[in-house]
Amino acid sequence: MMDDRPAGMLAIDQVGMEFALADDGSTFNVLDNISLDIPKGKFVSIVGHSGCGKSTLLRILAGLTMPTLGEVRVDGSIVEGPSVSRGMVFQQDAVFPWLSVRDNIEYGLKVRGMKKAQRQAESDTWIKLVGLEGWENAYPKQLSGGMRKRVDLARVYANKPDVMLMDEPFGALDAQTKATMQSELLSLWQQAGSTVVFVTHDLEEAVFLSDLVIVLSRNPGRVKQVLQIDLPRPRNEELRLSDEFLGEKRRLFDVLSET
Amino acid sequence: MTEQIIGGTDRRTRRVAISPQQIAKKERRQKLLIGTTSLGAVALLYTVVSNLPSANAVLTPPPQLIFSTFVEKLSDGTLLSATWASLQRVLIGYLIGTSLAILLGTLMGWFKYVEYVFDPIVECLRPIPPLAYIPLVILWFGIGEFSRIFIIVAASFLTCIVNAYSGMKQVPKVYVEAAQTLGASPLTVFRTVALPYSIPFIFAGMRVAMAASWTTLVAAELVAAQSGLGFMLQSGRRFFDTSLVMTGIVMIGILAFSMDRIFRSVQQRIGQWSEVQ
Protein backbone atom coordinates (compact mmCIF):
# COMPACT_ATOMS: atom_id res chain seq x y z
CA MET A 1 0.00 0.00 0.00
CA MET A 2 2.75 2.41 0.99
CA ASP A 3 4.67 2.02 -2.22
CA ASP A 4 1.85 3.00 -4.52
CA ARG A 5 2.05 6.56 -3.16
CA PRO A 6 3.23 8.66 -6.07
CA ALA A 7 4.84 11.30 -3.92
CA GLY A 8 5.76 12.55 -0.49
CA MET A 9 9.53 12.94 -0.42
CA LEU A 10 10.83 15.92 1.52
CA ALA A 11 14.23 17.49 1.05
CA ILE A 12 15.24 20.08 3.63
CA ASP A 13 18.23 21.89 2.21
CA GLN A 14 20.40 24.08 4.48
CA VAL A 15 17.40 25.70 6.10
CA GLY A 16 18.08 28.53 8.52
CA MET A 17 15.70 30.77 10.39
CA GLU A 18 16.56 34.02 12.11
CA PHE A 19 14.20 36.28 13.97
CA ALA A 20 14.93 39.95 14.46
CA LEU A 21 14.93 40.59 18.20
CA ALA A 22 14.88 44.36 18.25
CA ASP A 23 15.29 47.36 15.99
CA ASP A 24 19.04 47.46 16.68
CA GLY A 25 19.52 44.61 14.24
CA SER A 26 20.29 41.87 16.75
CA THR A 27 18.91 38.51 15.69
CA PHE A 28 18.05 35.20 17.25
CA ASN A 29 19.02 32.08 15.38
CA VAL A 30 16.20 29.55 15.74
CA LEU A 31 17.28 27.06 13.11
CA ASP A 32 20.80 26.71 11.79
CA ASN A 33 21.76 24.89 8.64
CA ILE A 34 19.23 22.07 8.78
CA SER A 35 19.63 19.53 6.02
CA LEU A 36 17.51 16.41 6.01
CA ASP A 37 16.03 14.01 3.52
CA ILE A 38 12.77 12.47 4.55
CA PRO A 39 11.91 9.39 2.46
CA LYS A 40 8.36 9.04 1.22
CA GLY A 41 5.91 7.01 3.23
CA LYS A 42 7.95 7.11 6.43
CA PHE A 43 6.79 8.15 9.86
CA VAL A 44 9.30 10.68 11.12
CA SER A 45 9.27 12.47 14.46
CA ILE A 46 11.12 15.61 15.42
CA VAL A 47 11.96 15.90 19.11
CA GLY A 48 13.89 18.45 21.10
CA HIS A 49 13.64 20.70 24.12
CA SER A 50 11.13 23.50 23.96
CA GLY A 51 12.53 26.43 22.05
CA CYS A 52 14.66 24.29 19.75
CA GLY A 53 12.65 25.40 16.75
CA LYS A 54 10.88 22.13 15.98
CA SER A 55 7.52 23.80 15.48
CA THR A 56 9.17 26.48 13.35
CA LEU A 57 10.71 23.78 11.17
CA LEU A 58 7.30 22.16 10.75
CA ARG A 59 5.73 25.48 9.79
CA ILE A 60 8.47 25.94 7.21
CA LEU A 61 7.65 22.50 5.78
CA ALA A 62 3.99 23.53 5.63
CA GLY A 63 4.83 26.74 3.82
CA LEU A 64 3.26 28.84 6.58
CA THR A 65 6.63 30.41 7.45
CA MET A 66 9.38 31.20 4.99
CA PRO A 67 12.94 30.30 6.03
CA THR A 68 15.52 33.09 5.99
CA LEU A 69 18.06 30.71 4.43
CA GLY A 70 17.87 27.56 2.35
CA GLU A 71 14.85 25.85 0.90
CA VAL A 72 12.48 22.93 1.23
CA ARG A 73 11.60 20.77 -1.74
CA VAL A 74 8.74 18.33 -1.94
CA ASP A 75 9.25 15.82 -4.72
CA GLY A 76 11.60 18.23 -6.35
CA SER A 77 9.54 21.43 -6.28
CA ILE A 78 10.36 24.26 -3.90
CA VAL A 79 7.85 25.04 -1.14
CA GLU A 80 6.61 28.60 -1.55
CA GLY A 81 3.41 28.55 0.46
CA PRO A 82 0.74 26.26 1.93
CA SER A 83 -0.53 23.51 -0.32
CA VAL A 84 -3.12 20.73 -0.17
CA SER A 85 -0.33 18.24 -0.81
CA ARG A 86 1.00 19.04 2.68
CA GLY A 87 -1.72 18.65 5.30
CA MET A 88 -1.22 20.10 8.76
CA VAL A 89 -2.66 19.12 12.12
CA PHE A 90 -2.14 21.86 14.67
CA GLN A 91 -1.51 21.68 18.38
CA GLN A 92 -4.49 23.93 19.06
CA ASP A 93 -8.06 23.03 18.34
CA ALA A 94 -8.41 23.89 14.65
CA VAL A 95 -11.79 22.30 13.96
CA PHE A 96 -14.21 25.01 12.79
CA PRO A 97 -16.82 25.44 15.54
CA TRP A 98 -19.43 26.81 13.11
CA LEU A 99 -19.43 23.67 10.95
CA SER A 100 -20.82 20.24 11.79
CA VAL A 101 -18.54 17.21 11.96
CA ARG A 102 -19.40 16.29 8.39
CA ASP A 103 -18.96 19.80 7.03
CA ASN A 104 -15.61 20.08 8.78
CA ILE A 105 -14.39 16.85 7.20
CA GLU A 106 -15.67 17.96 3.80
CA TYR A 107 -14.18 21.45 4.06
CA GLY A 108 -11.02 20.80 2.04
CA LEU A 109 -12.93 18.82 -0.57
CA LYS A 110 -15.50 21.58 -0.91
CA VAL A 111 -13.05 24.45 -1.36
CA ARG A 112 -11.37 22.40 -4.04
CA GLY A 113 -14.67 22.10 -5.87
CA MET A 114 -15.57 18.44 -5.37
CA LYS A 115 -19.21 17.58 -6.19
CA LYS A 116 -21.57 17.05 -3.28
CA ALA A 117 -22.28 13.35 -3.84
CA GLN A 118 -18.62 12.52 -4.10
CA ARG A 119 -17.82 14.64 -1.05
CA GLN A 120 -20.41 12.82 0.96
CA ALA A 121 -19.03 9.44 -0.04
CA GLU A 122 -15.54 10.57 0.98
CA SER A 123 -16.63 11.96 4.34
CA ASP A 124 -18.64 8.80 5.05
CA THR A 125 -15.46 6.78 4.64
CA TRP A 126 -13.46 9.02 6.96
CA ILE A 127 -16.19 9.31 9.57
CA LYS A 128 -16.20 5.52 9.75
CA LEU A 129 -12.40 5.30 9.84
CA VAL A 130 -12.12 7.63 12.81
CA GLY A 131 -15.11 6.09 14.57
CA LEU A 132 -17.47 9.04 14.54
CA GLU A 133 -20.55 7.36 13.09
CA GLY A 134 -23.67 8.88 14.58
CA TRP A 135 -21.89 12.22 15.22
CA GLU A 136 -22.02 13.49 11.60
CA ASN A 137 -24.35 16.37 12.40
CA ALA A 138 -22.94 17.26 15.81
CA TYR A 139 -21.11 20.54 16.33
CA PRO A 140 -17.58 20.59 17.75
CA LYS A 141 -18.71 22.07 21.08
CA GLN A 142 -20.69 18.87 21.67
CA LEU A 143 -17.58 16.72 21.26
CA SER A 144 -14.77 15.81 23.67
CA GLY A 145 -11.19 16.88 23.00
CA GLY A 146 -10.25 13.45 21.64
CA MET A 147 -13.23 13.39 19.30
CA ARG A 148 -12.37 16.85 18.00
CA LYS A 149 -8.85 15.67 17.19
CA ARG A 150 -10.41 12.76 15.28
CA VAL A 151 -12.42 15.24 13.22
CA ASP A 152 -9.24 17.20 12.62
CA LEU A 153 -7.32 14.11 11.47
CA ALA A 154 -10.16 12.99 9.22
CA ARG A 155 -10.44 16.47 7.72
CA VAL A 156 -6.77 16.56 6.79
CA TYR A 157 -6.63 12.92 5.65
CA ALA A 158 -9.75 13.34 3.49
CA ASN A 159 -7.72 15.82 1.45
CA LYS A 160 -5.29 12.98 0.59
CA PRO A 161 -2.06 14.89 1.24
CA ASP A 162 1.29 13.39 0.25
CA VAL A 163 2.77 14.65 3.49
CA MET A 164 1.07 14.95 6.88
CA LEU A 165 2.61 17.54 9.18
CA MET A 166 1.63 17.28 12.83
CA ASP A 167 2.56 19.74 15.54
CA GLU A 168 2.11 18.02 18.90
CA PRO A 169 -1.45 17.13 17.89
CA PHE A 170 -2.14 15.10 21.03
CA GLY A 171 -0.39 17.46 23.43
CA ALA A 172 -3.59 18.63 25.07
CA LEU A 173 -5.15 15.18 25.55
CA ASP A 174 -5.13 13.04 28.70
CA ALA A 175 -2.79 10.02 28.80
CA GLN A 176 -5.46 7.42 28.04
CA THR A 177 -6.94 9.28 25.08
CA LYS A 178 -3.46 10.09 23.84
CA ALA A 179 -2.48 6.39 23.71
CA THR A 180 -5.67 5.51 21.84
CA MET A 181 -5.15 8.33 19.36
CA GLN A 182 -1.57 7.22 18.70
CA SER A 183 -2.73 3.73 17.75
CA GLU A 184 -5.48 5.16 15.57
CA LEU A 185 -3.03 7.48 13.88
CA LEU A 186 -0.77 4.53 13.06
CA SER A 187 -3.59 2.65 11.44
CA LEU A 188 -4.66 5.74 9.45
CA TRP A 189 -1.07 6.23 8.33
CA GLN A 190 -0.81 2.62 7.26
CA GLN A 191 -3.98 2.91 5.19
CA ALA A 192 -3.24 6.30 3.64
CA GLY A 193 0.47 5.73 3.13
CA SER A 194 1.46 9.39 3.20
CA THR A 195 4.70 10.58 4.77
CA VAL A 196 4.22 11.87 8.33
CA VAL A 197 6.39 14.46 10.05
CA PHE A 198 5.38 14.55 13.69
CA VAL A 199 6.63 17.12 16.19
CA THR A 200 6.53 16.14 19.84
CA HIS A 201 8.44 16.48 23.09
CA ASP A 202 7.05 13.18 24.38
CA LEU A 203 9.81 10.58 23.87
CA GLU A 204 7.51 7.60 24.34
CA GLU A 205 5.21 8.98 21.67
CA ALA A 206 8.13 9.47 19.28
CA VAL A 207 9.42 5.91 19.78
CA PHE A 208 5.99 4.33 19.57
CA LEU A 209 5.05 6.03 16.31
CA SER A 210 8.20 6.53 14.29
CA ASP A 211 10.54 4.93 11.80
CA LEU A 212 12.97 7.78 12.28
CA VAL A 213 13.40 10.24 15.13
CA ILE A 214 15.22 13.48 14.45
CA VAL A 215 16.70 15.03 17.57
CA LEU A 216 17.24 18.78 17.46
CA SER A 217 19.60 20.69 19.74
CA ARG A 218 18.78 24.10 21.10
CA ASN A 219 20.34 27.56 20.60
CA PRO A 220 20.61 27.36 17.69
CA GLY A 221 18.42 24.51 16.50
CA ARG A 222 20.63 21.99 14.73
CA VAL A 223 20.20 18.35 13.83
CA LYS A 224 21.89 16.53 16.69
CA GLN A 225 21.22 13.00 15.60
CA VAL A 226 18.83 10.91 13.52
CA LEU A 227 17.76 7.69 15.21
CA GLN A 228 16.26 4.75 13.43
CA ILE A 229 13.58 2.92 15.39
CA ASP A 230 13.52 -0.69 14.27
CA LEU A 231 10.60 -1.90 16.33
CA PRO A 232 8.31 -4.29 14.43
CA ARG A 233 5.00 -3.12 12.98
CA PRO A 234 2.11 -3.17 13.49
CA ARG A 235 2.77 -1.76 16.92
CA ASN A 236 0.29 -2.27 19.72
CA GLU A 237 -0.13 -1.33 23.36
CA GLU A 238 1.80 -4.41 24.53
CA LEU A 239 4.92 -3.08 22.84
CA ARG A 240 5.10 -0.11 25.19
CA LEU A 241 6.13 -2.35 28.06
CA SER A 242 8.60 -4.52 26.15
CA ASP A 243 12.35 -4.38 26.78
CA GLU A 244 13.12 -3.38 23.19
CA PHE A 245 10.75 -0.45 23.45
CA LEU A 246 12.20 0.74 26.74
CA GLY A 247 15.70 0.30 25.30
CA GLU A 248 14.86 2.58 22.36
CA LYS A 249 13.32 5.10 24.70
CA ARG A 250 16.51 5.02 26.81
CA ARG A 251 18.65 5.54 23.69
CA LEU A 252 16.59 8.54 22.67
CA PHE A 253 16.66 9.92 26.20
CA ASP A 254 20.46 9.68 26.29
CA VAL A 255 20.86 11.47 22.97
CA LEU A 256 18.54 14.21 24.10
CA SER A 257 20.28 14.76 27.43
CA GLU A 258 23.82 14.92 25.98
CA THR A 259 25.07 18.43 25.95
CA MET B 1 -24.66 0.19 63.60
CA THR B 2 -27.07 -1.82 61.49
CA GLU B 3 -29.57 0.99 61.52
CA GLN B 4 -27.00 3.40 60.22
CA ILE B 5 -26.18 1.11 57.32
CA ILE B 6 -29.84 0.71 56.47
CA GLY B 7 -30.31 4.44 56.74
CA GLY B 8 -27.40 4.95 54.39
CA THR B 9 -28.76 2.51 51.86
CA ASP B 10 -32.09 4.28 51.94
CA ARG B 11 -30.51 7.59 51.19
CA ARG B 12 -28.50 6.11 48.35
CA THR B 13 -31.51 4.59 46.63
CA ARG B 14 -33.37 7.87 46.62
CA ARG B 15 -33.98 8.99 43.08
CA VAL B 16 -33.09 12.43 41.75
CA ALA B 17 -36.53 13.82 41.12
CA ILE B 18 -35.71 16.95 39.13
CA SER B 19 -34.28 16.93 35.61
CA PRO B 20 -32.13 19.82 34.30
CA GLN B 21 -34.98 20.77 31.97
CA GLN B 22 -37.32 21.02 34.92
CA ILE B 23 -34.86 23.19 36.81
CA ALA B 24 -34.52 25.48 33.80
CA LYS B 25 -38.29 25.62 33.44
CA LYS B 26 -38.72 26.44 37.10
CA GLU B 27 -36.14 29.21 36.85
CA ARG B 28 -37.85 30.68 33.79
CA ARG B 29 -41.17 30.66 35.60
CA GLN B 30 -39.64 32.39 38.63
CA LYS B 31 -37.97 35.01 36.47
CA LEU B 32 -41.21 35.73 34.66
CA LEU B 33 -43.24 35.90 37.88
CA ILE B 34 -40.85 38.22 39.71
CA GLY B 35 -40.34 40.34 36.60
CA THR B 36 -44.08 40.79 36.05
CA THR B 37 -44.57 41.63 39.69
CA SER B 38 -41.92 44.35 39.72
CA LEU B 39 -43.26 45.84 36.48
CA GLY B 40 -46.79 45.63 37.86
CA ALA B 41 -45.69 47.40 41.04
CA VAL B 42 -44.38 50.38 39.05
CA ALA B 43 -47.61 50.49 37.02
CA LEU B 44 -49.66 50.27 40.19
CA LEU B 45 -47.66 53.06 41.83
CA TYR B 46 -48.22 55.32 38.82
CA THR B 47 -51.92 54.44 38.78
CA VAL B 48 -52.30 55.30 42.46
CA VAL B 49 -50.32 58.55 42.23
CA SER B 50 -52.06 59.75 39.08
CA ASN B 51 -55.48 59.02 40.55
CA LEU B 52 -54.85 60.90 43.82
CA PRO B 53 -57.26 63.84 44.27
CA SER B 54 -54.28 66.22 44.35
CA ALA B 55 -52.83 64.92 41.06
CA ASN B 56 -52.74 67.12 37.99
CA ALA B 57 -54.31 65.06 35.19
CA VAL B 58 -52.72 67.33 32.59
CA LEU B 59 -49.21 66.49 33.76
CA THR B 60 -49.70 62.92 34.95
CA PRO B 61 -52.65 61.51 33.07
CA PRO B 62 -53.99 58.38 34.77
CA PRO B 63 -53.49 55.07 32.89
CA GLN B 64 -57.14 54.84 31.92
CA LEU B 65 -56.81 58.19 30.12
CA ILE B 66 -53.62 57.12 28.35
CA PHE B 67 -55.33 53.89 27.37
CA SER B 68 -58.37 55.67 25.92
CA THR B 69 -56.11 58.08 24.01
CA PHE B 70 -54.15 55.10 22.72
CA VAL B 71 -57.33 53.38 21.54
CA GLU B 72 -58.70 56.60 20.06
CA LYS B 73 -55.50 57.34 18.11
CA LEU B 74 -55.36 53.75 17.02
CA SER B 75 -58.92 53.72 15.70
CA ASP B 76 -58.73 57.09 13.90
CA GLY B 77 -55.54 55.91 12.17
CA THR B 78 -53.22 58.67 13.36
CA LEU B 79 -51.17 56.32 15.54
CA LEU B 80 -50.74 53.78 12.79
CA SER B 81 -49.77 56.33 10.17
CA ALA B 82 -47.27 57.93 12.56
CA THR B 83 -45.85 54.51 13.38
CA TRP B 84 -45.65 53.59 9.73
CA ALA B 85 -43.85 56.83 8.88
CA SER B 86 -41.27 56.24 11.61
CA LEU B 87 -40.90 52.55 10.93
CA GLN B 88 -40.25 53.20 7.26
CA ARG B 89 -37.50 55.68 8.06
CA VAL B 90 -35.91 53.37 10.60
CA LEU B 91 -35.96 50.36 8.31
CA ILE B 92 -34.63 52.14 5.23
CA GLY B 93 -31.91 53.97 7.15
CA TYR B 94 -31.04 50.92 9.18
CA LEU B 95 -30.77 48.60 6.20
CA ILE B 96 -28.54 51.00 4.30
CA GLY B 97 -26.43 51.83 7.39
CA THR B 98 -25.86 48.29 8.59
CA SER B 99 -25.23 46.94 5.07
CA LEU B 100 -22.54 49.54 4.53
CA ALA B 101 -21.13 48.86 7.99
CA ILE B 102 -20.94 45.11 7.43
CA LEU B 103 -19.37 45.57 4.02
CA LEU B 104 -16.78 48.12 5.06
CA GLY B 105 -16.22 46.74 8.57
CA THR B 106 -15.45 43.20 7.45
CA LEU B 107 -13.19 44.39 4.62
CA MET B 108 -11.41 46.75 7.03
CA GLY B 109 -10.95 44.01 9.58
CA TRP B 110 -9.52 41.61 7.03
CA PHE B 111 -7.59 43.50 4.37
CA LYS B 112 -4.94 45.75 5.85
CA TYR B 113 -4.91 48.32 3.08
CA VAL B 114 -8.66 48.85 3.38
CA GLU B 115 -8.01 49.29 7.10
CA TYR B 116 -5.21 51.80 6.54
CA VAL B 117 -7.47 53.89 4.30
CA PHE B 118 -10.71 53.87 6.29
CA ASP B 119 -9.75 53.28 9.91
CA PRO B 120 -8.68 56.90 10.65
CA ILE B 121 -11.92 58.25 9.20
CA VAL B 122 -14.13 55.86 11.11
CA GLU B 123 -12.18 56.41 14.33
CA CYS B 124 -12.65 60.18 14.00
CA LEU B 125 -16.39 60.00 13.37
CA ARG B 126 -17.28 57.20 15.79
CA PRO B 127 -16.94 58.96 19.16
CA ILE B 128 -19.26 61.80 18.05
CA PRO B 129 -22.88 60.99 18.96
CA PRO B 130 -24.95 60.83 15.76
CA LEU B 131 -27.38 63.35 17.26
CA ALA B 132 -24.66 65.98 16.99
CA TYR B 133 -24.87 65.75 13.20
CA ILE B 134 -28.56 66.71 13.11
CA PRO B 135 -28.05 70.48 12.86
CA LEU B 136 -25.39 70.06 10.20
CA VAL B 137 -27.49 67.65 8.18
CA ILE B 138 -30.44 70.07 8.34
CA LEU B 139 -28.21 72.92 7.16
CA TRP B 140 -26.86 70.85 4.30
CA PHE B 141 -29.88 68.89 3.17
CA GLY B 142 -32.86 70.72 4.67
CA ILE B 143 -35.57 69.16 6.81
CA GLY B 144 -36.83 66.66 4.27
CA GLU B 145 -37.06 62.88 4.32
CA PHE B 146 -33.51 62.56 3.04
CA SER B 147 -32.04 64.25 6.12
CA ARG B 148 -33.94 62.04 8.56
CA ILE B 149 -32.92 58.85 6.82
CA PHE B 150 -29.38 60.10 6.42
CA ILE B 151 -29.05 60.52 10.19
CA ILE B 152 -30.33 57.00 10.83
CA VAL B 153 -27.90 55.66 8.23
CA ALA B 154 -25.08 57.42 10.07
CA ALA B 155 -26.20 56.20 13.50
CA SER B 156 -26.61 52.55 12.52
CA PHE B 157 -23.47 52.56 10.39
CA LEU B 158 -21.24 53.96 13.12
CA THR B 159 -22.50 51.57 15.80
CA CYS B 160 -22.46 48.44 13.64
CA ILE B 161 -19.10 48.91 11.94
CA VAL B 162 -17.15 48.56 15.19
CA ASN B 163 -18.51 45.06 15.79
CA ALA B 164 -18.02 43.89 12.22
CA TYR B 165 -14.45 45.17 12.32
CA SER B 166 -13.54 43.71 15.71
CA GLY B 167 -15.13 40.34 14.87
CA MET B 168 -12.82 40.03 11.88
CA LYS B 169 -9.86 41.11 13.98
CA GLN B 170 -10.46 38.30 16.45
CA VAL B 171 -10.50 35.40 13.98
CA PRO B 172 -7.98 32.93 15.49
CA LYS B 173 -4.87 32.46 13.37
CA VAL B 174 -5.08 28.68 13.64
CA TYR B 175 -8.42 28.61 11.75
CA VAL B 176 -6.93 30.69 8.96
CA GLU B 177 -3.84 28.51 8.68
CA ALA B 178 -5.89 25.31 8.85
CA ALA B 179 -8.02 26.58 5.96
CA GLN B 180 -4.91 27.56 3.99
CA THR B 181 -3.31 24.14 4.38
CA LEU B 182 -6.61 22.56 3.35
CA GLY B 183 -6.43 24.41 0.06
CA ALA B 184 -8.41 27.61 0.60
CA SER B 185 -7.39 30.71 -1.37
CA PRO B 186 -7.22 34.06 0.49
CA LEU B 187 -10.68 35.00 -0.78
CA THR B 188 -12.06 31.61 0.24
CA VAL B 189 -10.58 32.03 3.71
CA PHE B 190 -12.36 35.38 3.97
CA ARG B 191 -15.66 33.88 2.86
CA THR B 192 -15.57 30.50 4.64
CA VAL B 193 -13.63 31.28 7.83
CA ALA B 194 -13.50 34.97 8.67
CA LEU B 195 -17.13 35.77 7.82
CA PRO B 196 -18.77 32.82 9.60
CA TYR B 197 -16.56 33.39 12.63
CA SER B 198 -17.63 37.04 12.77
CA ILE B 199 -21.35 36.52 12.32
CA PRO B 200 -22.17 36.50 16.04
CA PHE B 201 -20.20 39.74 16.44
CA ILE B 202 -21.93 41.29 13.43
CA PHE B 203 -25.31 40.32 14.81
CA ALA B 204 -24.56 41.86 18.18
CA GLY B 205 -23.63 45.02 16.30
CA MET B 206 -26.86 44.93 14.28
CA ARG B 207 -28.82 44.71 17.51
CA VAL B 208 -27.08 47.72 19.04
CA ALA B 209 -27.55 49.57 15.75
CA MET B 210 -31.30 48.91 15.86
CA ALA B 211 -31.53 50.58 19.26
CA ALA B 212 -29.36 53.47 18.07
CA SER B 213 -31.61 53.93 15.02
CA TRP B 214 -34.72 54.37 17.15
CA THR B 215 -33.00 56.81 19.49
CA THR B 216 -31.76 58.89 16.61
CA LEU B 217 -35.01 58.76 14.69
CA VAL B 218 -37.08 60.11 17.55
CA ALA B 219 -34.57 62.91 18.08
CA ALA B 220 -34.58 63.73 14.37
CA GLU B 221 -38.37 63.76 14.24
CA LEU B 222 -38.59 65.99 17.31
CA VAL B 223 -36.52 68.59 15.49
CA ALA B 224 -37.64 68.30 11.93
CA ALA B 225 -40.68 66.32 10.82
CA GLN B 226 -44.35 66.64 9.89
CA SER B 227 -45.08 62.99 10.55
CA GLY B 228 -43.91 60.07 12.64
CA LEU B 229 -43.88 59.19 16.30
CA GLY B 230 -41.35 61.85 17.24
CA PHE B 231 -43.54 64.44 15.57
CA MET B 232 -46.53 63.08 17.51
CA LEU B 233 -44.64 63.49 20.79
CA GLN B 234 -43.69 67.02 19.83
CA SER B 235 -47.26 68.04 18.92
CA GLY B 236 -48.49 66.49 22.17
CA ARG B 237 -46.08 68.74 24.04
CA ARG B 238 -47.11 71.79 22.01
CA PHE B 239 -50.81 71.33 22.82
CA PHE B 240 -50.18 70.22 26.40
CA ASP B 241 -51.67 66.82 25.54
CA THR B 242 -49.60 64.69 27.95
CA SER B 243 -51.61 61.53 27.28
CA LEU B 244 -50.75 61.85 23.58
CA VAL B 245 -47.07 62.11 24.55
CA MET B 246 -47.47 59.02 26.73
CA THR B 247 -49.19 57.19 23.86
CA GLY B 248 -46.21 57.93 21.62
CA ILE B 249 -43.76 56.75 24.26
CA VAL B 250 -45.70 53.51 24.81
CA MET B 251 -45.81 52.86 21.05
CA ILE B 252 -42.04 53.43 20.65
CA GLY B 253 -41.45 51.13 23.59
CA ILE B 254 -43.57 48.36 22.09
CA LEU B 255 -41.84 48.63 18.71
CA ALA B 256 -38.29 48.75 20.05
CA PHE B 257 -38.94 45.92 22.48
CA SER B 258 -40.46 43.60 19.89
CA MET B 259 -37.69 44.27 17.39
CA ASP B 260 -35.09 43.52 20.02
CA ARG B 261 -36.87 40.28 20.83
CA ILE B 262 -36.87 39.22 17.19
CA PHE B 263 -33.17 39.98 17.08
CA ARG B 264 -32.47 37.99 20.19
CA SER B 265 -34.12 34.86 18.87
CA VAL B 266 -32.34 35.11 15.51
CA GLN B 267 -29.06 35.76 17.30
CA GLN B 268 -29.50 32.68 19.45
CA ARG B 269 -30.17 30.52 16.43
CA ILE B 270 -27.23 31.89 14.47
CA GLY B 271 -24.77 31.64 17.31
CA GLN B 272 -25.68 28.07 18.22
CA TRP B 273 -22.20 26.77 17.48
CA SER B 274 -20.57 29.28 19.77
CA GLU B 275 -19.34 28.16 23.21
CA VAL B 276 -20.25 31.47 24.77
CA GLN B 277 -23.58 32.86 23.81
Side-chain angles (χ1 to χ4, degrees), chain A residues 59 64 82-84 86 88 90 93-98 107-108 111 139 141 148 155 159, chain B residues 173-175 177-184 188-189 192-193 196-197 272-275 277:
Chain A
R59 290 179 58 84
L64 292 169
S83 150
V84 282
R86 280 163 285 122
M88 176 108 172
F90 295 84
D93 202 345
V95 169
F96 301 140
W98 58 89
Y107 180 84
V111 298
Y139 281 85
K141 71 165 179 180
R148 279 203 279 249
R155 182 173 71 173
N159 242 4
Chain B
K173 198 174 147 205
V174 68
Y175 294 152
E177 292 186 336
Q180 284 175 340
T181 52
L182 288 166
T188 310
V189 176
T192 60
V193 175
Y197 182 85
Q272 249 171 0
W273 55 266
S274 173
E275 310 260 0
Q277 282 197 7

Side-chain angles (χ1 to χ4, degrees), chain B residues 181-250:
Chain B
T181 52
L182 288 166
S185 66
L187 217 61
T188 310
V189 176
F190 175 76
R191 190 173 52 81
T192 60
V193 175
L195 273 184
Y197 182 85
S198 306
I199 278 176
F201 293 85
I202 293 174
F203 242 81
M206 287 173 75
R207 199 173 151 194
V208 182
M210 181 47 88
S213 296
W214 276 111
T215 314
T216 318
L217 170 86
V218 173
E221 284 180 346
L222 285 177
V223 181
Q226 290 79 42
S227 63
L229 291 167
F231 172 74
M232 202 174 111
L233 294 178
Q234 190 67 343
S235 51
R237 182 195 67 90
R238 216 171 279 146
F239 301 112
F240 234 109
D241 188 351
T242 316
S243 65
L244 184 62
V245 174
M246 293 287 197
T247 298
I249 291 173
V250 168

Side-chain angles (χ1 to χ4, degrees), chain A:
Chain A
M1 180 95 192
M2 259 155 63
D3 284 321
D4 57 51
R5 290 302 299 187
M9 200 183 75
L10 281 165
I12 303 168
D13 193 359
Q14 297 176 43
V15 162
M17 185 74 200
E18 280 183 356
F19 284 117
L21 280 183
D23 288 338
D24 64 4
S26 62
T27 56
F28 176 67
N29 211 357
V30 188
L31 294 170
D32 183 42
N33 199 17
I34 307 265
S35 288
L36 285 166
D37 281 314
I38 296 176
K40 70 172 184 176
K42 293 282 181 198
F43 201 118
V44 179
S45 288
I46 302 176
V47 299
H49 296 287
S50 57
C52 73
K54 51 190 191 294
S55 291
T56 309
L57 183 57
L58 200 73
R59 290 179 58 84
I60 290 173
L61 298 184
L64 292 169
T65 302
M66 282 296 129
T68 44
L69 281 169
E71 62 187 32
V72 174
R73 291 184 301 274
V74 178
D75 301 314
S77 50
I78 296 175
V79 169
E80 280 166 334
S83 150
V84 282
S85 68
R86 280 163 285 122
M88 176 108 172
V89 181
F90 295 84
Q91 187 176 4
Q92 307 100 304
D93 202 345
V95 169
F96 301 140
W98 58 89
L99 295 182
S100 67
V101 167
R102 182 186 289 285
D103 289 343
N104 261 291
I105 294 173
E106 290 181 9
Y107 180 84
L109 310 174
K110 193 174 179 185
V111 298
R112 284 160 51 211
M114 190 185 277
K115 292 274 178 297
K116 197 178 173 192
Q118 203 183 344
R119 248 171 28 218
Q120 202 145 19
E122 284 288 323
S123 59
D124 277 340
T125 311
W126 288 102
I127 285 165
K128 212 166 285 165
L129 276 171
V130 296
L132 285 172
E133 299 110 314
W135 293 91
E136 293 87 345
N137 299 318
Y139 281 85
K141 71 165 179 180
Q142 298 166 284
L143 308 180
S144 67
M147 288 162 94
R148 279 203 279 249
K149 268 294 170 244
R150 288 200 175 98
V151 177
D152 205 344
L153 284 176
R155 182 173 71 173
V156 183
Y157 264 122
N159 242 4
K160 298 204 166 57
D162 298 323
V163 182
M164 274 296 259
L165 304 166
M166 305 197 180
D167 187 7
E168 300 192 40
F170 309 143
L173 303 178
D174 63 273
Q176 207 69 48
T177 314
K178 195 174 180 176
T180 316
M181 292 301 295
Q182 288 166 356
S183 296
E184 286 182 16
L185 174 60
L186 282 184
S187 82
L188 288 176
W189 166 66
Q190 247 133 15
Q191 288 182 58
S194 41
T195 314
V196 176
V197 182
F198 192 100
V199 163
T200 181
H201 59 256
D202 180 340
L203 301 189
E204 174 164 330
E205 185 169 58
V207 172
F208 184 73
L209 296 172
S210 317
D211 296 313
L212 292 171
V213 178
I214 295 158
V215 183
L216 293 188
S217 65
R218 187 165 43 176
N219 284 339
R222 286 197 179 112
V223 179
K224 198 177 197 178
Q225 202 164 328
V226 180
L227 273 77
Q228 192 151 351
I229 308 289
D230 285 325
L231 298 169
R233 293 189 188 273
R235 298 177 184 170
N236 53 31
E237 288 305 304
E238 282 298 301
L239 182 73
R240 289 182 200 267
L241 298 168
S242 69
D243 288 339
E244 306 98 286
F245 186 87
L246 295 173
E248 293 288 33
K249 202 172 151 186
R250 175 92 235 173
R251 196 155 68 97
L252 182 55
F253 180 80
D254 289 341
V255 172
L256 200 64
S257 16
E258 278 168 25
T259 43

